[in-house]
Amino acid sequence: MMFAPPGRRPWRAAALALCALALTACTRGQPPVDFITDGNPPKLSDWHLMAADGGRLVLNNGVVPYDLNTPLFTDYAQKLRTIWMPKGSSATYQADTAFDFPVGTIISKTFFYPRQPGMGAGADAGKPDAVLATYDSSRNGGERLDLANVRLIETRLLVRRKTGWIALPYVWNAEQTDAVLARTGQQVALDVQHEDGSHRPLTYVVPNVNQCASCHVADLKTRQFQPIGPKARHLNRDYTHDGVTENQLAYLTRIGYLTGAPAPQAAPRNANWRDDKQTLDARARAYLDINCAHCHNDKGAANTTALHLNIGAPADLHLGLCKPPVAAGAGTGGRQYGIMPGKPDESIMLYRLASAETGVMMPELGRGSVHAEGVALIRAWIAAMPPGCGH
């Protein structure tokens, strides 16, 4: 629910109240969110987080959408992210790591694609769904996704139970009415039209629950499973809730979902990788942070490589500058260093980002295609570095 801050004009507060009332009416048909304390519910609808209703994907009361400054690349899929917490509970702010979420928290991420124009739901039954690889979200319908214009693929849940976090992937049916648990993963055939007009087939891979752990285990020693996106530096940005734009950290604090957060200007903030008004270095580091650093840090699954790509890691060998590989094998492509400053085509990092070949590509999971725009960013970043290695 949105409350008018002190000093807001009465007519504006009344308008906001009417907007909130209208949104509540949209969710009135849904039972309250059900935090299921054990077992693996077979359908996404068992949780009552969201429902396909009237041609829209409607979030339930208390299910709060959010976004990241720079998102993880997943084969050009767009994403609707949400957080729900039991009434009266809140997450505790932490500056550098994921917030400390209470038992009962459910974090969801719904992966979807805009449909190719004229290719509505069921238009080509039995054939790969015709979708777009685009950053344009104008036809999506906002946080109430328009199912005539988008193809829902999967919704992943992170559920905070007493024993810790669990991951549950749900795959949406062809009718777009519900999603079914797919603990062993699944594949979805798509016909993807890119912004240059080309069409490329894609087998979208839904990960199995064990693969989820390979990215979400933040510390190999403790085997601690953690969310990746809900960190201060990713969330410290504006978002429009119910027609009102507000910083996400401030909003989550105001609605009682977050405690202990400083003012947004005092919190860390990653760059938006697509915002060319921000520095090339900030954009590239933000891109590597979200796409690579959940493994490439001093405690993660790739800690033995000594390649640390998290924000705050020093810009030296740990970033790959003039760093020989530890055990990359074919992943080097015959290149000598992780990053050869000034020479992107001689850098292992760019070679692996530009590949979709198993055993070569990085990240190893979560994509089956090359992120052309991300590769272009890292190429420009390396090319802009003063050339040469001093050893």
Side-chain angles (χ1 to χ4, degrees), residues 147-159:
L147 300 181
N149 289 326
V150 306
R151 168 59 161 100
L152 305 177
I153 304 294
E154 60 164 325
T155 296
R156 301 178 194 173
L157 300 187
L158 289 182
V159 180

Side-chain angles (χ1 to χ4, degrees), residues 16-219:
L16 286 172
L18 285 173
C19 287
L21 212 62
L23 287 169
T24 300
C26 290
T27 62
R28 198 169 287 155
Q30 297 188 52
V33 174
D34 187 8
F35 173 68
I36 301 169
T37 58
D38 54 29
N40 303 310
K43 296 183 295 182
L44 179 64
S45 57
D46 294 330
W47 298 91
H48 305 305
L49 291 167
M50 59 193 74
D53 182 23
R56 296 273 183 170
L57 185 68
V58 182
L59 301 179
N60 209 341
N61 291 319
V63 178
V64 175
Y66 69 94
D67 206 353
L68 310 182
N69 281 311
T70 292
L72 176 74
F73 173 72
T74 312
D75 286 329
Y76 290 98
Q78 298 187 25
K79 299 159 190 176
L80 172 62
R81 302 168 179 84
T82 74
I83 297 175
W84 177 87
M85 284 179 251
K87 187 175 181 179
S89 63
S90 60
T92 301
Y93 176 87
Q94 299 181 134
D96 299 320
T97 59
F99 299 154
D100 185 8
F101 289 95
V103 172
T105 300
I106 306 173
I107 298 174
S108 81
K109 183 159 60 171
T110 298
F111 297 71
F112 66 93
Y113 290 87
R115 294 183 183 275
Q116 293 178 23
M119 305 297 287
D124 283 305
K127 296 182 180 180
D129 277 288
V131 299
L132 297 172
T134 180
Y135 300 106
D136 182 5
S137 60
S138 60
R139 297 171 56 243
N140 294 353
E143 62 196 43
R144 300 181 69 244
L145 295 176
D146 183 351
L147 300 181
N149 289 326
V150 306
R151 168 59 161 100
L152 305 177
I153 304 294
E154 60 164 325
T155 296
R156 301 178 194 173
L157 300 187
L158 289 182
V159 180
R160 179 67 170 89
R161 290 174 170 166
K162 288 183 179 180
T163 54
W165 290 97
I166 66 164
L168 297 171
Y170 291 87
V171 178
W172 284 87
N173 58 25
E175 296 76 25
Q176 304 283 269
T177 55
D178 204 349
V180 178
L181 183 64
R183 284 178 55 83
T184 59
Q186 195 163 314
Q187 297 184 351
V188 181
L190 299 173
D191 167 39
V192 183
Q193 179 180 324
H194 290 257
E195 292 192 332
D196 62 1
S198 63
H199 286 252
R200 302 170 208 167
L202 171 69
T203 300
Y204 180 100
V205 177
V206 178
N208 62 53
V209 293
N210 292 327
Q211 290 172 319
C212 294
S214 69
C215 290
H216 283 277
V217 171
D219 189 324

